[in-house]
Amino acid sequence: MEKKWWHDKVAYQIYPKSFLDTNGDGIGDLRGIISKLDYLKKLGIDIIWLSPIYKSPFVDQGYDIADYYAIAEEFGTMEEFDELLAEAKKRDMHIIMDLVINHCSDKHEWFQKALADPDGAFADYFYFRKGKNGNPPSNYRSYFGGSCWEKVPGTDKYYFHMFAKEQPDLNWENPKLRQELYKMINWWLEGLSGFRIDAIINIKKDLNFPDFAPDGKDGLASCWKMVESVDGVGELLEDLKKSTFEKYDAFTVGEVFNMKPDELPEFIGENGHFSTIFDFSAHCLSDGEHGWYDAPKLEFAKWRAAIIQAQLETQKYGFKANIIENHDEPRGASRFLPSYAQTPDGIKMLGTISLLLRGIPFIYQGQEIGMRNAKWNSMEEFDDISTKDQYHTAREAGLSDQEALEVCSRMSRDNARTPMQWTSGENGGFTKGTPWLKVNPLFKDVNVEAQEQDPDSVLNYYRKLVALRKSDELKEVFTYGEFLPEYENVDGVMAFYRKDEFKCILVAANFGKDAATIKLKSEIEKVWLSNRIDGTVDCEKDSLNLRSCEVVVLELENHK
Ligand code: GLC
Ligand code: CA
């Protein structure tokens, strides 16, 4: 396999709005990010992904872009952005931005021009279609609820949107539109190291927009059914790559759901569309059939199996980007850990598994201090558009107000979007003003300042963990070494080897409530890491005892 500059990197996602506010308007900003670069460097971060910072009305928190060439005033200026790039470079860190090109904002000039002249050239930057027998052109439900079709005022046409109605989908069949996007991407790539690419699988539409059998009480069908049934996204993605990323040797990480099962090599193989794509296999376990309200409960055995399966499949072709959480998901510590494990030990254990899998680890802001879901007292406390939709869906399905609130509390994207907890002071040190979204009440116990002082904190453990992954001795095996699951028949234990010709590293964790014992297959050569305070392991002959929530990283004598 050809080695790439990003194979051995560790990435960190910043959600700028909630990272650090330096001017007291309650909104995180670029100055805040610049001031924390040393913090990220100390954590061992190489690549920083910024969620969107472009000019936007923020209907979907910046994923609705009104001007691809401008920085949102809320965050700062282009000069400050250049400063961020320069400061990152000084520290040998890479910046990647979010690339949202399936749709733009309805406030984007293109869409405004399309509305002004619905038969003109700009209308063809979007999907403007006539309805069918007084109905919209098809029966699709958007990802945020309601029809995918919205009336173009003053006409008999509708425009297409897979997300909010303020996020009209761009027409990728139009070569002119594609050229405009490529120009913009190349302009950014003069300074950036790459992109995280938003919702990209959706760019290919079935231009017949066929109806599907309704799958909900609203009589609509999920729009992803069209995505799953249409072929040809690969041609668009190749055109995109060849016209942009490839020329810059850019690092690209795709947000890809609903891929066809045999497409993995095309997406991330040697000459794939992207450098990597996120592994959402654990997250998809809680996809409800109709929404968050009927999301299945997480079961450890399924979680373990999903990750193992993804690892084994992926290593045949390339790398996936491993995450515990991101800005669209609840906090992983609350989601993947049973309540007895939602402790510093449990959180360290989960982090160890995620970071030592094969792939590119992404840490989401606050994960490194063990941030958990917030307590939400009423729907008014939420901001997120999709949470509001899911509340309605739950209510419509017959859940009480309280039950629907509980569903949202558990699953809301806002759990990940509460401000970063820097100190135990007012607003967790995030802002001197009023935060745009409430601060998680746990900030007094969980914050960077306190954890800096405690050698055994989650933060200091994460620092050790990242350093271990990148250490001279183990970098090679953690980057390119094979992933091999082990002890799959031991209840509650998640364990695997990372192996190459020279090294055999065993990562073993006990997610169970009770202690567990496993039989080692060869001698321990070195204990590299453990979440026991004294750093020891409990091993007698070949029997390794793991307490509840214990994780160990051992070098074993190489064996078959
Ligand atoms: C992606 C983003 C999400 C956004 C959506 C629409 O899934 O991660 O935050 O709402 O795309 O752009
Ligand atoms: Ca600010």
Side-chain angles (χ1 to χ4, degrees), residues 18 26 371-377 381 414-415 417-431 433-444 446-447:
S18 304
M371 280 178 68
R372 276 171 277 157
N373 285 351
K375 166 118 187 58
W376 304 92
N377 304 305
E381 289 184 338
D414 281 343
N415 282 306
R417 299 176 181 186
T418 59
M420 177 70 184
Q421 295 158 202
W422 295 106
T423 71
S424 57
E426 205 185 343
N427 297 319
F430 163 70
T431 179
T434 308
W436 73 276
L437 185 68
K438 78 170 197 175
V439 178
N440 187 328
L442 294 173
F443 76 90
K444 288 212 188 299
V446 179
N447 63 72

Side-chain angles (χ1 to χ4, degrees), residues 13-276:
Q13 179 187 357
I14 290 184
Y15 196 69
K17 199 165 180 181
S18 304
F19 193 60
L20 179 62
D21 172 29
T22 59
N23 65 351
D25 64 357
I27 295 176
D29 41 50
L30 292 176
R31 281 262 149 259
I33 298 174
I34 295 171
S35 73
K36 292 296 179 187
L37 287 175
D38 286 330
Y39 168 79
L40 296 176
K41 184 73 195 174
K42 192 167 174 201
L43 182 57
I45 301 305
D46 307 296
I47 298 177
I48 300 171
W49 154 27
L50 304 176
S51 273
I53 54 169
Y54 313 85
K55 186 178 156 93
S56 163
F58 289 90
V59 169
D60 183 22
Q61 293 305 349
Y63 284 89
D64 46 326
I65 297 175
D67 184 347
Y68 288 100
Y69 291 92
I71 302 288
E73 276 172 29
E74 291 86 342
F75 294 143
T77 63
M78 194 58 86
E79 287 67 42
E80 285 169 316
F81 182 72
D82 286 339
E83 192 181 323
L84 170 62
L85 284 183
E87 290 297 320
K89 199 162 180 198
K90 264 193 217 162
R91 293 166 176 81
D92 203 16
M93 292 158 97
H94 300 264
I95 303 282
I96 67 172
M97 281 180 41
D98 222 301
L99 186 60
V100 189
I101 47 178
N102 171 68
H103 47 267
C104 61
S105 160
D106 62 341
K107 297 295 179 301
H108 193 287
E109 177 188 9
W110 297 336
F111 193 69
Q112 290 297 315
K113 287 183 174 165
L115 287 184
D117 182 5
D119 299 310
F122 282 98
D124 200 35
Y125 275 39
F126 301 90
Y127 297 100
F128 279 32
R129 292 287 188 282
K130 286 209 164 116
K132 265 189 331 209
N133 321 318
N135 293 318
S138 73
N139 68 346
Y140 306 158
R141 179 189 314 105
S142 84
Y143 290 114
F144 294 156
S147 171
C148 279
W149 297 98
E150 186 72 16
K151 264 280 168 71
V152 179
T155 72
D156 57 353
K157 289 182 177 170
Y158 295 77
Y159 69 87
F160 188 66
H161 63 90
M162 298 186 85
F163 294 90
K165 66 178 189 326
E166 295 87 353
Q167 294 168 295
D169 279 46
L170 291 163
N171 175 10
W172 274 73
E173 308 295 332
N174 180 346
K176 197 138 186 289
L177 176 268
R178 291 207 300 271
Q179 290 315 315
E180 288 279 5
L181 292 176
Y182 300 164
K183 192 174 89 190
M184 174 275 292
I185 295 169
N186 290 331
W187 182 80
W188 281 108
L189 283 175
E190 294 298 328
L192 296 179
S193 299
F195 287 105
R196 176 267 185 180
I197 307 171
D198 186 71
I200 192 67
I201 196 98
N202 298 293
I203 61 174
K204 182 70 191 177
K205 319 291 195 236
D206 183 336
L207 298 177
N208 296 318
F209 296 108
D211 279 344
F212 287 93
D215 55 22
K217 288 205 165 164
D218 54 7
L220 302 174
S222 308
C223 60
W224 53 257
K225 299 210 161 141
M226 184 262 282
V227 176
E228 285 193 342
S229 74
V230 67
D231 288 321
V233 72
E235 283 151 45
L236 293 177
L237 296 178
E238 278 306 285
D239 193 48
L240 165 64
K241 180 184 87 181
K242 297 232 153 65
S243 314
T244 58
F245 316 136
E246 195 172 75
K247 302 196 247 185
Y248 295 85
D249 195 20
F251 169 68
T252 54
V253 46
E255 185 204 25
V256 179
F257 291 97
N258 310 104
M259 189 179 60
K260 298 183 181 68
D262 52 353
E263 279 178 342
L264 191 60
E266 286 154 47
F267 275 76
I268 56 159
E270 190 93 49
N271 290 304
H273 309 315
F274 303 115
S275 311
T276 183

Side-chain angles (χ1 to χ4, degrees), residues 387-411:
T387 305
K388 291 174 184 164
D389 168 54
Q390 290 290 340
Y391 172 81
H392 288 297
T393 309
R395 292 286 295 181
E396 226 117 271
L399 276 74
S400 70
D401 173 60
Q402 191 54 34
E403 287 164 342
L405 175 64
E406 273 161 28
V407 165
C408 292
S409 297
R410 196 165 62 240
M411 297 300 288

